[in-house]
Amino acid sequence: MCDLMRHRGPDGEGVWVDGPVGFGHRRLSIIDLSNAGAQPMNRGDGRLWLTFNGEIYNVRDVRRALEARGVTFRSHTDSEVILAAYDAYGDDCVSHFVGMFAFAIWDARARRALIARDRVGKKPLFYRFDSDGLAFASEVRAFFGEPGFTAEPDPQAIADYLGFQYVPTPGSAFKGVRRLPPGHVMTIQDGRQSITRYWSLPYQPTLTISEDEAVEAVDEALDRAVQDRLVSDVPLGAFLSGGIDSGTVVAMMARHSSTPVRTFSIGFAEERYNELPAARLVAERYGTRHEEFVVEPDAVTLMPKLVWHYGEPYADSSALPTFALAEMTRRHVTVALNGDGGDESFGGYTRYVASLAASRFDRVLPAALRRLPALVTGPVSYAVPTPLLRRAHRFFESFGESSERRYASWMLHFDLQRKRAVCRPEFLETVQPDVVPQLEAIFEASSAPDFIDRMLDVDVQTYLLDDLLVKVDIATMAHSLEARSPLLDHRVMELAARLPARYKIKDGRHKKHVLRRVAARLLPTEILDRPKMGFGVPLDRWFQTSLQGYAREILLDERTLNRGYFKPDAIGRVLDEHASGRMFWHYQIWNLLMLEGWFRTFIDRRPVPSDWP
């Protein structure tokens, strides 16, 4: 199991076994590079053992509090502080930590295991629990190191993946394998399992502060989060795009650095995907040691690597440039800060504004009239031939739906209609094919008082958790690079959640308003005025040119079609329609390719470490 995750920790390996209990660990040395930080860790008495992935950023504060209680330490590692905190506070130790973590503690005296995951879900934790016991790991692929593990696909997970482009928590693509949700702890004692939630993002009570006070509070909280993440005993830098989130992080890093910050940007030959000129403006303003990489991601070469490292079907195509950026950044540093999380906390996506606009029609138009645009334009938004018309069509075709269902449907690759078009009926009959109710349930359970905040809450619990955080964790750790995300500091997120919604999206159209005001103090005007660019690749063009033959070869192969999930004629039609430009199916084609790659890598054969691409 350790061998299958050696990329996550190339600096050392440890295994400890005591009767029916065993811990393994791969170490990526960041703090205290001496052998005192080796894991699995025990503090010398043999009672408590720890295996831990992540960083505790407030380790000095926790350590001082423990020392005031008479605790002494043998190292400067956060690992030892976790053990001491558990000894002092029990399971509540997790509430004392600020950071990203997944860890397990074995209490030999109580014959009890505590397994915990950080509040937001920065660090992954998969597990299997059955009559034979418990197994857990940071990556699902590690279970192939278990002699008794049988890799079987979970049909419901496949149906969910087709919709979301990822498998949602708490499930996994493999039968019997689960994810521990973020903000939860699991205990195992006497063969019994208990899972408890210790944190959720609080949207109430809404803070009663002025907009100017909100700007000051966000500036202070984010600055503190950035400063906390600059502690490292190895080279450190930052990803720098052309947006305000990473630009603000880099500007705040420069505040606290006595030497030039190291920054890394990736660019593309296609102008509509290239943010290098904008990133360069920030680098020049703060005199960073800036590295630029211009790439044309080779999807055919990279795709097997992505399939292998992600371990589950995963179809966010921005993983391609993220993977390449991480590989290039690791040549220079071991830790990289980034700007992830700003959109989900402060309201940065156009879909939030579009949803608000559509909801205004709900209030003024009768239901029958709200259905009229969809009847006029027709039911198939994926068939509209230009991006602008597709967005307009999608906006109108959902008018007859509730605000929550409308927003949920906009998030999907294969909605129910598309699934029925391409999937075999016998597959759909065995699963719940419509995934929108999963998102509607989160809407209904949200404590957020405002529709804007409910949209943000849904994204934090789904898209951020199972798409964006997975993308960056896997892409960086595949290259033994640690990613740190100041905007995902739970204190920053809690502050943002409780701000009045009008400070996040002002006047129903100005996105990320309060964060933009913070950035205005730090960044060139050109950065503030730029339209948002996704970290994307030209899939639409690729599947009409260089990747058209590859997609046909894989998706129309007898091996693919015999799996029983898809209608052969429907897949052929999808490829033909996209190649001709009559319809746009590029996201769906990529979704299907990554799914088939996963089947061939993990279901058709049993991987071993020597199989690494």
Side-chain angles (χ1 to χ4, degrees):
M1 293 177 77
C2 286
D3 285 346
L4 284 159
M5 295 196 301
R6 64 183 179 221
H7 52 282
R8 295 186 78 92
D11 300 328
E13 178 183 19
V15 174
W16 162 79
V17 178
D18 181 14
V21 181
F23 281 176
H25 189 264
R26 294 292 319 197
R27 187 184 184 196
L28 178 61
S29 301
I30 304 293
I31 303 294
D32 193 339
L33 309 186
S34 72
N35 288 333
Q39 296 185 51
M41 178 179 285
N42 170 259
R43 299 190 70 229
D45 60 2
R47 183 172 71 86
L48 301 177
W49 286 89
L50 170 77
T51 182
F52 158 55
N53 173 216
E55 296 287 346
I56 306 300
Y57 299 122
N58 67 331
V59 63
R60 294 172 181 171
D61 295 336
V62 179
R63 180 177 178 131
R64 279 193 294 266
L66 292 168
E67 288 174 335
R69 297 166 65 112
V71 178
T72 59
F73 292 90
R74 301 183 301 169
S75 74
H76 298 286
T77 66
D78 48 1
S79 306
E80 188 181 3
V81 172
I82 292 175
L83 277 175
Y86 173 81
D87 204 13
Y89 307 125
D91 294 0
D92 189 52
C93 64
V94 291
S95 66
H96 293 259
F97 302 143
V98 175
M100 54 180 184
F101 54 82
F103 67 77
I105 293 174
W106 173 246
D107 187 333
R109 182 182 300 166
R111 307 298 295 172
R112 178 178 185 269
L114 171 71
I115 299 167
R117 192 174 178 198
D118 66 68
R119 294 170 180 83
V120 184
K122 276 282 293 171
K123 286 300 174 185
L125 201 152
F126 293 87
Y127 70 92
R128 298 200 313 122
F129 181 71
D130 54 30
S131 59
D132 292 328
L134 171 76
F136 61 90
S138 293
E139 293 187 8
V140 69
R141 188 178 60 247
F143 294 116
F144 284 87
E146 277 195 279
F149 177 65
T150 301
E152 295 183 43
D154 184 321
Q156 185 61 54
I158 303 306
D160 291 345
Y161 160 78
L162 290 172
F164 293 123
Q165 77 178 350
Y166 54 79
V167 178
T169 298
S172 88
F174 297 95
K175 282 185 178 179
V177 178
R178 308 281 287 173
R179 286 178 175 87
L180 182 66
H184 284 68
V185 296
M186 175 169 61
T187 59
I188 303 289
Q189 190 169 27
D190 298 327
R192 293 190 299 272
Q193 176 197 53
S194 175
I195 296 179
T196 306
R197 187 170 201 158
Y198 70 87
W199 181 85
S200 59
L201 188 58
Y203 286 87
Q204 296 194 65
T206 302
L207 294 174
T208 306
I209 58 175
S210 69
E211 185 180 305
D212 289 342
E213 290 171 329
V215 172
E216 295 300 329
V218 170
D219 192 326
E220 180 181 344
L222 183 53
D223 185 77
R224 177 180 60 177
V226 169
Q227 191 171 4
D228 286 348
R229 284 158 180 77
L230 296 180
V231 178
S232 174
D233 293 332
V234 294
L236 176 147
F239 294 158
L240 179 60
S241 70
I244 68 171
D245 297 344
S246 65
T248 300
V249 168
V250 167
M252 290 182 171
M253 290 174 70
R255 284 179 180 173
H256 302 290
S257 179
S258 58
T259 59
V261 175
R262 303 200 67 172
T263 53
F264 305 90
S265 300
I266 195 167
F268 306 99
E270 289 214 7
E271 191 61 32
R272 62 176 169 144
Y273 295 99
N274 188 30
E275 294 192 279
L276 286 182
R280 203 174 298 138
L281 291 173
V282 179
E284 290 171 352
R285 169 169 287 198
Y286 290 98
T288 71
R289 291 178 59 191
H290 190 54
E291 302 281 350
E292 294 182 349
F293 314 110
V294 178
V295 299
E296 179 76 24
D298 182 352
V300 175
T301 300
L302 273 180
M303 189 173 152
K305 294 183 180 181
L306 295 181
V307 169
W308 172 262
H309 281 285
Y310 281 89
E312 293 188 289
Y314 179 81
D316 186 337
S317 60
S318 65
L320 280 164
T322 303
F323 200 85
L325 177 60
E327 180 180 22
M328 296 172 183
T329 300
R330 184 59 175 90
R331 298 171 187 170
H332 303 273
V333 299
T334 310
V335 176
L337 276 66
N338 61 48
D340 291 349
D343 293 318
E344 294 77 18
S345 285
F346 294 95
Y349 295 125
T350 300
R351 60 178 178 264
Y352 300 144
V353 174
S355 293
L356 287 174
S359 68
R360 293 193 183 102
F361 286 91
D362 295 342
R363 292 193 294 269
V364 299
L365 290 179
L369 291 179
R370 294 201 305 266
R371 293 295 298 164
L372 185 60
L375 295 175
V376 172
T377 58
V380 285
S381 61
Y382 52 82
V384 182
T386 69
L388 180 60
L389 287 176
R390 284 204 306 277
R391 287 194 293 270
H393 189 287
R394 185 172 66 175
F395 180 83
F396 286 119
E397 76 169 341
S398 61
F399 265 19
E401 306 288 353
S402 69
S403 297
E404 291 78 9
R405 187 171 184 88
R406 176 191 303 123
Y407 181 76
S409 67
W410 287 0
M411 300 295 292
L412 305 181
H413 270 196
F414 284 93
D415 58 15
L416 183 58
Q417 179 186 347
R418 292 185 182 106
K419 283 180 183 174
R420 287 172 173 163
V422 302
C423 294
R424 294 187 179 182
E426 51 268 33
F427 163 57
L428 297 181
E429 289 169 1
T430 66
V431 298
Q432 172 49 260
D434 188 2
V435 299
V436 170
Q438 296 182 38
L439 299 178
E440 288 183 303
I442 300 174
F443 266 111
E444 293 172 5
S446 175
S447 65
D450 185 279
F451 181 56
I452 291 175
D453 284 329
R454 289 199 297 276
M455 288 188 287
L456 298 178
D457 195 10
V458 169
D459 276 0
V460 166
Q461 295 188 58
T462 57
Y463 179 64
L464 176 68
L465 170 64
D466 291 320
D467 187 321
L468 302 186
L469 297 187
V470 171
K471 175 180 67 179
V472 173
D473 176 77
I474 295 297
T476 54
M477 294 306 289
H479 300 100
S480 309
L481 176 71
E482 178 172 286
R484 296 179 177 178
S485 309
L487 281 156
L488 292 173
D489 186 301
H490 77 273
R491 300 165 299 186
V492 174
M493 295 181 70
E494 287 176 348
L495 170 62
R498 294 182 57 203
L499 290 177
R502 66 183 182 275
Y503 294 170
K504 286 167 261 192
I505 299 182
K506 191 174 181 66
D507 299 328
R509 57 194 177 93
H510 298 296
K511 297 172 291 189
K512 267 193 311 203
H513 177 68
V514 70
L515 185 59
R516 190 175 293 273
R517 282 193 57 188
V518 172
R521 302 171 169 182
L522 304 167
L523 301 180
T525 304
E526 298 93 322
I527 301 297
L528 300 172
D529 294 340
R530 290 180 68 247
K532 181 178 178 60
M533 289 180 65
F535 199 27
V537 290
L539 287 180
D540 50 351
R541 178 177 60 82
W542 286 356
F543 287 131
Q544 291 174 338
T545 55
S546 59
L547 288 183
Q548 182 184 162
Y550 178 74
R552 288 183 179 279
E553 179 184 349
I554 298 297
L555 297 182
L556 297 180
D557 183 68
E558 184 177 346
R559 185 176 172 189
T560 304
L561 298 175
N562 285 344
R563 298 195 189 279
Y565 291 93
F566 304 108
K567 304 172 186 175
D569 58 334
I571 299 302
R573 185 170 64 251
V574 163
L575 293 168
D576 290 341
E577 289 172 348
H578 184 84
S580 68
R582 296 197 309 275
M583 301 184 186
F584 283 83
W585 290 92
H586 47 289
Y587 292 124
Q588 289 79 13
I589 295 171
W590 182 253
N591 185 304
L592 296 172
L593 280 172
M594 293 300 287
L595 176 62
E596 179 57 23
W598 175 77
F599 268 110
R600 296 187 180 194
T601 302
F602 293 103
I603 302 302
D604 293 352
R605 61 188 179 88
R606 186 181 183 90
V608 296
S610 60
D611 287 340
W612 290 14

